[in-house]
Amino acid sequence: MALAIALTAIGVLHFIWVFSPWPFKDVMTFTKTIGGSDDGVMPPVPSTVLVGLALIGGAVLTLMVNESIPGIGPAWLRLVGMYGLAVVLLTRGLGGYFMNSGAAIEFQRLNTFLYSPLCVALAALSGTVAVAASRR
């Protein structure tokens, strides 16, 4: 449940960011802290929506694999999706440290101590859900 809640919350944040730089005071602070750039240009709406949908989709997938909600499609495909989610999150978590090069210092700091470690933790949770489902 913790994984589904975290993915949903982060997904909802992406939907908010389509319309607003909240919780940051302005767009410049947002882009430095979240995007790593100091150009003051918000990320493109389609990619922001796509990431939000993917995160919420991952939360729904987690609930289906965990049998908290009814599953859609074959169980093997949901399981492959769960392992895929773990790989994507782990890749972002470990690969995220390479994103620091040339990025704004605000992003570097949060990416090093929050974003990348959070992705690794979410990957571990995803992997745990996938392995537990594999053993059923």
Side-chain angles (χ1 to χ4, degrees):
M1 290 307 274
L3 175 62
I5 291 167
L7 291 174
T8 299
I10 299 166
V12 168
L13 266 177
H14 280 76
F15 288 125
I16 291 170
W17 292 337
V18 168
F19 305 103
S20 165
W22 183 87
F24 301 96
K25 62 182 177 175
D26 57 32
V27 173
M28 185 60 78
T29 305
F30 174 88
T31 58
K32 283 183 177 180
T33 309
I34 299 295
S37 68
D38 54 4
D39 60 6
V41 177
M42 291 292 281
V45 170
S47 59
T48 304
V49 169
L50 186 62
V51 171
L53 286 172
L55 288 162
I56 291 173
V60 171
L61 177 64
T62 299
L63 294 174
M64 285 192 289
V65 168
N66 199 27
E67 298 178 350
S68 297
I69 62 173
I72 298 172
W76 69 267
L77 188 57
R78 292 191 304 271
L79 193 56
V80 167
M82 199 69 222
Y83 278 107
L85 177 63
V87 168
V88 167
L89 288 168
L90 185 61
T91 301
R92 167 54 183 94
L94 297 178
Y97 293 105
F98 296 104
M99 297 168 65
N100 285 343
S101 177
I105 193 71
E106 296 87 348
F107 175 82
Q108 290 180 24
R109 193 174 305 119
L110 278 174
N111 188 48
T112 300
F113 297 107
L114 177 63
Y115 306 150
S116 288
L118 176 62
C119 287
V120 171
L122 294 175
L125 288 173
S126 299
T128 300
V129 170
V131 168
S134 297
R135 294 183 177 174
R136 279 191 223 129

